[in-house]
Amino acid sequence: MNGFSALVLAGSRGPDDPVAASEGLAAKALVTVGSVPMLVRVVRALRAAGAIRVAVAASDPQVVALARELGCSLVPAASGPSESAARGFAELGAPMLLTTADHALLQPQWIDDFRRAVAPGADVSVLLARRDVVEAAVPHTRRTWLRFADGQWSGCNLFHFATPRAADAFALWQSVERDRKRPWRIVWRLGPWLLLRYAVGRLSLRQAMAQLGRRAGLAVEAVASPHGLAAVDVDKPEDLALARQIVDGPPAA
């Protein structure tokens, strides 16, 4: 496959970030897993997968300095991830792969498999993993599950913006971002008939994503990941403990 551009969202929530606060650091991107800052782990995985240009959306001075050390270009972080992503897309253009600095377990193989699975006509592709796949990899993880007719799903913090038209996806993302913990509100945007299908368990994730995209004039698809660990990011201190255990192995008896 050809090389690609990638954007890493590494904005800081400051003292409100529970992971950074638990480690006494200014930003979550600086927290280490396997003795390596999470931002470094993510950038290395992207480059190993063939990224020819990596940009980092950041505002914290230490994160900005680290991104420069890594040879990444910089995008000023906005107040929310969707706006930061829009700024990055304006800088990098299509095609662009998007991920986050807290995707500490990110592997080049996951990126390769995702890019190979992207449909040729898709403007935007979103990687998700089914609950059974995630729990087979990490049986006791606690995640937010999106419940649809074809299973329960968790996001994998990997997005592919394939065409210039994908710029229209960021306004859609902002609305989804506000309601990500309330899937029924997302489905409501699709109209009462599809909301009814969702309520009775007849709406699949792929149907919902496709219709949501059509409302924005885009071809949007959900891609199923075979890698359960791809759904593990570091949002909470317990996620950090899990990521470290996966990388370092369980403590010696």
Side-chain angles (χ1 to χ4, degrees), residues 10-111:
S12 173
R13 292 164 55 189
D16 295 329
D17 191 307
V19 176
S22 70
E23 297 291 297
L25 294 169
K28 183 165 60 171
L30 304 171
V31 171
T32 61
V33 172
S35 302
V36 178
M38 290 196 289
L39 177 60
V40 176
R41 296 180 64 89
V42 171
V43 171
R44 286 176 178 172
L46 290 166
R47 286 180 171 151
I52 54 177
R53 183 181 179 190
V54 179
V56 175
S59 54
D60 179 83
Q62 294 181 61
V63 178
V64 168
L66 179 57
R68 285 184 173 136
E69 287 178 20
L70 294 168
C72 300
S73 54
L74 291 163
V75 174
S79 58
S82 55
E83 188 178 347
S84 293
R87 291 179 180 181
F89 190 70
E91 174 74 20
L92 297 173
M96 182 186 83
L97 187 80
L98 173 71
T99 190
T100 57
D102 64 358
H103 206 341
L105 304 179
L106 184 62
Q107 298 294 315
Q109 187 63 53
W110 305 349
I111 299 168

Side-chain angles (χ1 to χ4, degrees), residues 126-149:
V126 182
L127 190 68
L128 300 106
R130 274 176 56 110
R131 183 169 186 168
D132 56 339
V133 174
V134 176
E135 292 185 340
V138 275
H140 305 298
T141 185
R142 296 174 59 190
R143 314 227 64 78
T144 298
W145 303 106
L146 303 173
R147 301 170 186 270
F148 287 91

Side-chain angles (χ1 to χ4, degrees), residues 191-233:
W193 172 240
L194 286 185
L195 178 60
L196 177 62
R197 290 191 63 194
Y198 175 74
V200 299
R202 299 290 300 275
L203 182 68
S204 73
L205 172 67
R206 290 174 176 82
Q207 290 168 338
M209 293 287 287
Q211 182 62 20
L212 198 62
R214 280 194 286 271
R215 286 295 177 100
L218 298 169
V220 178
E221 64 165 354
V223 175
S225 175
H227 308 286
L229 287 180
V232 178
D233 57 6

Side-chain angles (χ1 to χ4, degrees), residues 153-196:
W153 300 83
S154 181
C156 295
N157 284 10
L158 278 171
F159 306 83
H160 188 263
F161 299 89
T163 68
R165 290 192 305 168
D168 295 335
F170 299 107
L172 174 64
W173 184 1
Q174 287 176 341
S175 65
V176 172
E177 189 175 271
R178 289 191 295 268
D179 297 327
R180 68 187 182 88
K181 302 289 187 181
R182 295 168 291 182
W184 69 270
R185 300 246 342 229
I186 298 172
V187 178
W188 175 251
R189 303 174 196 279
L190 308 182
W193 172 240
L194 286 185
L195 178 60
L196 177 62

